Amino acid sequence: MKMSRATLIVAFSLIVFSCLTAFATKSAAGEFLYAPEGNRLRVIDLEQAAAGVISAPVLIESAASDPVDGRDINGMVCALPDGSGAFVAGEDTGQPDRPAGWGVFSVQGQQIGKLVARAGSRVPEPHGCAFNAQGHLLTTEVGDPGFGASNGQLILWFPPYKGFGPSRYCKLAGDIGTAGGLVIDGQGRVYVASSSGREILRFSPPFPTGPDAAGGGGEVDVYGDPMADVVAREIFAGAHWWRGLITYSGLAFAANGHLYASSVFTGRIGEFSPRGELVRMIVEPDTWTPPHATGTPHGLAVAANGDLYYADLDIVWEDWMPGPGENGRLWRVRFDESGEPQAPEVLLDGLAFPDGLGILPGSGVGD
């Protein structure tokens, strides 16, 4: 059983106890939705999806299904900024015998690199990823779940990203409670969802330019890894208990600069202003605990036409404990001409713990 299941079960128990219609405004041509599930990576052509044709071929098979070329993929997916079509995704094939990290893959899905950092959790869980304007990669590692752990990490990586040699990185934080989704705004500020911390954190530049004192990474964490000398950190948004925004997990920016944030256990998605104010609810089921009619949204992604996609873990109860079920789904939320969200619609079902998403300009499938 993957760490993502255990992480979610404990994090969710914490809370228990304490889009083809007239709504589309622009074409989705050239965009592909990358959707990890069941340790494999599926790719959906959003132009076809807008026309009502839903096809989700597998670009990277799981290691269990393909012991030679397969890789266990999870978390968010983000494109390298070099225009090659290569991308980064969480990759934890064979852990703990092989260290978990972030795999670098060609547009055809062949692994061409791996980034690995030390972690305090017994079974590290790579999740979030995003590149900033300087071409530096930022990632989140979930850490141990539950009360008191708070050892999720925010990691800044320096090139080269391709290849399998020692990774160059500097940590910005190592005390995040169940670190999840990660996004970067136009000012270079980094937002991290903290599920068990019940908050969204924001980290502001300047960030280190290298993993040493000369580059601003002269501190050392408890594992002996380089840490940033100075980090500007704040709480962007706390829990909105009365609206059910508590277990923050997925993040994505809307076209207007607002931030969408999912609360996986409570099944909600909210929209926040740049000042961290809750503007409105995008998905708000009638129930407060799973199952929810609109699923349990985890990873988020927004297409160029404004459509919002979310990965649904299908949280269910088993032996009085919540955890991912057997009918994970991928949903789409479209908006009408006045910008009002419409009822979520299912694009795919029968998925196994779909946790992260990414929208990239190419697929590699069949290339």
Side-chain angles (χ1 to χ4, degrees):
M1 179 163 55
K2 291 182 62 58
M3 178 61 181
S4 56
R5 288 174 176 260
T7 297
L8 289 162
I9 288 173
V10 179
F12 302 152
S13 299
L14 163 68
I15 301 303
V16 172
F17 294 101
S18 43
C19 293
L20 173 64
T21 71
F23 303 140
T25 58
K26 293 192 293 184
S27 170
E31 288 188 302
F32 295 82
L33 181 66
Y34 284 56
E37 66 88 18
N39 296 338
R40 63 182 71 89
L41 179 62
R42 295 185 180 275
V43 180
I44 300 171
D45 186 327
L46 292 185
E47 185 176 21
Q48 292 182 358
V53 179
I54 309 299
S55 176
V58 174
L59 177 60
I60 302 176
E61 258 297 358
S62 67
S65 298
D66 183 352
V68 177
D69 297 318
R71 298 291 187 273
D72 288 348
I73 306 297
N74 54 69
M76 296 175 63
V77 181
C78 52
L80 263 68
D82 60 6
S84 67
F87 59 91
V88 173
E91 189 262 298
D92 55 8
T93 310
Q95 72 163 319
D97 295 332
R98 293 173 56 186
W102 288 265
V104 184
F105 299 89
S106 71
V107 68
Q108 293 84 13
Q110 299 171 330
Q111 188 165 11
I112 55 176
K114 186 162 183 178
L115 305 170
V116 177
R118 281 176 285 196
S121 51
R122 185 179 63 85
V123 184
E125 181 71 14
H127 185 76
C129 69
F131 283 91
N132 64 15
Q134 290 72 43
H136 294 158
L137 173 66
L138 290 109
T139 65
T140 55
E141 188 272 316
V142 174
D144 292 320
F147 279 123
S150 297
N151 60 348
Q153 302 184 107
L154 174 60
I155 307 168
L156 173 66
W157 304 83
F158 306 100
Y161 304 117
K162 299 175 183 179
F164 298 86
S167 304
R168 302 178 67 242
Y169 61 89
C170 177
K171 296 178 181 178
L172 302 184
D175 60 351
I176 301 172
T178 317
L182 180 157
V183 292
I184 303 174
D185 69 14
Q187 299 180 47
R189 297 176 297 188
V190 180
Y191 300 72
V192 176
S194 172
S195 179
S196 60
R198 304 176 298 281
E199 61 191 5
I200 302 171
L201 299 171
R202 181 165 67 186
F203 299 80
S204 297
F207 298 130
T209 58
D212 50 30
E219 296 295 319
V220 178
D221 72 358
V222 296
Y223 315 113
D225 283 350
M227 285 279 296
D229 296 331
V230 179
V231 177
R233 168 176 172 168
E234 61 187 318
I235 297 175
F236 173 74
H240 288 257
W241 297 91
W242 65 97
R243 300 307 298 268
L245 290 171
I246 305 168
T247 49
Y248 293 113
S249 50
L251 303 175
F253 278 114
N256 62 0
H258 287 187
L259 180 67
Y260 295 134
S262 64
S263 176
V264 60
F265 182 81
T266 56
R268 284 152 167 77
I269 300 175
E271 178 180 336
F272 291 86
S273 76
R275 293 188 295 181
E277 302 164 332
L278 178 61
V279 175
R280 61 176 176 172
M281 300 298 294
I282 302 300
V283 176
E284 189 172 22
D286 294 333
T287 52
W288 284 83
T289 60
H292 305 293
T294 48
T296 47
H298 194 269
L300 304 179
V302 175
N305 65 359
D307 289 350
L308 171 64
Y309 295 85
Y310 65 88
D312 165 18
L313 281 165
D314 181 38
I315 300 303
V316 296
W317 295 92
E318 183 177 353
D319 297 329
W320 300 98
M321 295 288 287
E326 298 180 352
N327 189 31
R329 290 164 289 183
L330 175 65
W331 297 72
R332 176 176 60 192
V333 177
R334 291 178 288 188
F335 298 79
D336 65 18
E337 294 180 354
S338 65
E340 290 300 312
Q342 304 303 293
E345 52 187 333
V346 176
L347 299 186
L348 292 174
D349 60 9
L351 306 179
F353 49 93
D355 58 353
L357 296 172
I359 292 181
L360 279 65
S363 72
V365 177
D367 290 351

